Amino acid sequence: MLRGLLTTPSKSACGLLDIESLDRAEIEAILERARYFQPAPGETYRRLETLRGKMIVNLFFEASTRTRVSFEIAERRLGADTVSIAAQTSSVSKGESLVDTLNTLVAMRPDAIVMRHSASGAPHFLARHLQIPIINAGDGTHEHPTQALLDARTILDRGKSLEGLRVAIIGDIAHSRVARSNVHLLSRFGADIVLCGPPSLVPRELENLAPGVRLAYDMKEALRNADVIMMLRVQLERQHEAPMSAGEYFRFYGLRLEHLALAKSDVIVMHPGPINRGRELSSDVADSQRSVILNQVENGVAVRMAVLERILP
Ligand code: ASP
């Protein structure tokens, strides 16, 4: 059972709700275990029996490709049975409330629910009411814990240490659950984090998110000496004001090859996906040797296997 994860009062149904409530030892244990699940070069993930007989429901109220498929593969590689539901095709579209939907699913006795929802805090709210482990696969603008874990695994795989790491996170920070989870994780290890983007997408209060965070509105300043550049998508679906055009955004905050010279010579470029070429980054950066975007996707499976194994002993 994971310490620091939310426990319901009646039964000990622990899930993974966020990084903020995980301590450093828990994070390290997950990252280390994920290493064990990583396939050898040229091989695929092993098929294990660890979760044989367990039933996991993946409930996605928001669009997802990487996260949903990655959870499903992780569950199946561990031998679990899975059911995946996209909210557009469920009774949610007939007006059923979130609590009623979840109660209905819980009545069918799955062993855990993986959920993504557009409301920040939705999984935390449900975890208080349901006696079943809930794994947060992204809640609104709040957190996306498994993304930060797989990002950390990817950074470590490149031989970098999280202690003292200089990380530039660039883009739509205001709406990014990926940024928040990464900031909480990286700051646990004493990383030096610069959040950068247009002022409307990087509000001042973000500086107080965690120790070691500073803000920059000039991309060149943010990139200087970076070990890691984490680019984020502009989340148009969460913006209420007229956004900058793709071209204008790219001019000021799009990552181009020439920018990489400002960072450390072994800098890596990350992006949680989906990427928008020509808005957040140029194609030659996305496809360059410095890009670890597909390594992140690959590590998603190993990290989620490690999380599932800990939550469903
Ligand atoms: N896939 C990530 C998320 O769900 C990032 C993004 O959508 O831009 O938060």
Side-chain angles (χ1 to χ4, degrees):
M1 187 188 300
L2 286 167
R3 287 175 296 118
L5 296 184
L6 202 140
T7 306
T8 54
S10 42
K11 285 189 204 163
S12 47
C14 289
L16 172 60
L17 298 176
D18 51 45
I19 295 289
E20 196 178 0
S21 51
L22 288 189
D23 65 28
R24 191 178 156 138
E26 287 164 328
I27 294 169
E28 280 170 339
I30 295 170
L31 296 177
E32 192 47 41
R33 188 63 178 161
R35 203 150 75 110
Y36 165 81
F37 288 122
Q38 286 175 326
E43 284 178 19
T44 185
Y45 287 90
R46 275 166 289 174
R47 175 87 160 86
L48 303 167
E49 297 292 317
T50 322
L51 298 188
R52 192 157 163 211
K54 303 281 185 195
M55 172 58 75
I56 303 175
V57 172
N58 302 301
L59 181 58
F60 280 70
F61 293 91
E62 272 194 338
S64 173
T65 308
R66 272 152 291 273
T67 306
R68 191 173 55 80
V69 175
S70 176
F71 264 112
E72 270 183 50
I73 291 178
E75 290 153 5
R76 290 177 192 208
R77 290 295 187 203
L78 288 173
D81 298 314
T82 69
V83 174
S84 293
I85 304 164
Q88 294 89 330
T89 58
S90 75
S91 290
V92 174
S93 61
K94 297 184 185 171
E96 189 171 61
S97 77
L98 178 59
V99 172
D100 285 336
T101 303
L102 265 287
N103 273 329
T104 303
L105 294 174
V106 170
M108 294 181 223
R109 308 292 170 124
D111 296 286
I113 293 180
V114 175
M115 72 172 282
R116 166 170 290 190
H117 199 278
S118 60
S120 301
H124 301 68
F125 168 75
L126 291 165
R128 278 197 292 277
H129 291 89
L130 303 172
Q131 275 100 53
I132 183 170
I134 293 187
I135 301 173
N136 181 5
D139 63 320
T141 60
H142 177 230
E143 280 225 33
H144 191 348
T146 54
Q147 178 71 45
L149 290 164
L150 71 90
D151 288 344
R153 185 63 267 162
T154 307
I155 295 168
L156 295 173
D157 288 349
R158 285 290 165 129
K160 293 176 185 282
S161 155
L162 300 181
E163 275 112 26
L165 192 77
R166 279 184 66 92
V167 184
I169 307 183
I170 299 173
D172 180 359
I173 316 284
H175 302 106
S176 178
R177 51 197 177 205
V178 173
R180 276 176 190 72
S181 286
N182 265 295
V183 165
H184 289 306
L185 190 153
L186 293 165
S187 74
R188 288 271 185 292
F189 293 85
D192 174 10
I193 306 159
V194 188
L195 304 179
C196 174
S200 59
L201 300 180
V202 185
R204 282 253 152 240
E205 61 268 20
L206 286 173
E207 208 158 22
N208 307 322
L209 207 52
V213 175
R214 71 189 166 86
L215 310 185
Y217 297 100
D218 172 21
M219 188 155 163
K220 291 192 176 133
E221 184 195 329
L223 292 174
R224 204 148 289 134
N225 263 329
D227 293 288
V228 173
I229 305 171
M230 218 176 255
M231 300 306 293
L232 298 175
R233 185 174 64 90
V234 180
Q235 305 207 8
L236 297 172
E237 74 275 25
R238 299 192 210 279
Q239 288 185 22
H240 306 298
E241 289 152 31
M244 280 180 177
S245 70
E248 197 184 355
Y249 183 88
F250 184 71
R251 206 169 120 223
F252 292 103
Y253 295 103
L255 188 67
R256 297 183 288 277
L257 266 189
E258 67 263 26
H259 283 134
L260 301 187
L262 296 165
K264 299 239 172 85
S265 57
D266 63 347
V267 68
I268 55 171
V269 176
M270 310 182 79
H271 193 306
I275 63 172
N276 286 295
R277 293 165 187 258
R279 189 191 287 266
E280 302 105 57
L281 76 179
S282 63
S283 265
D284 46 12
V285 170
D287 302 329
S288 75
Q289 294 288 321
R290 303 260 64 96
S291 164
V292 294
I293 297 171
L294 290 178
N295 304 82
Q296 291 172 264
V297 177
E298 188 176 10
N299 275 332
V301 177
V303 158
R304 291 178 175 117
M305 287 172 84
V307 166
L308 289 160
E309 183 195 55
R310 276 176 87 86
I311 285 170
L312 290 163

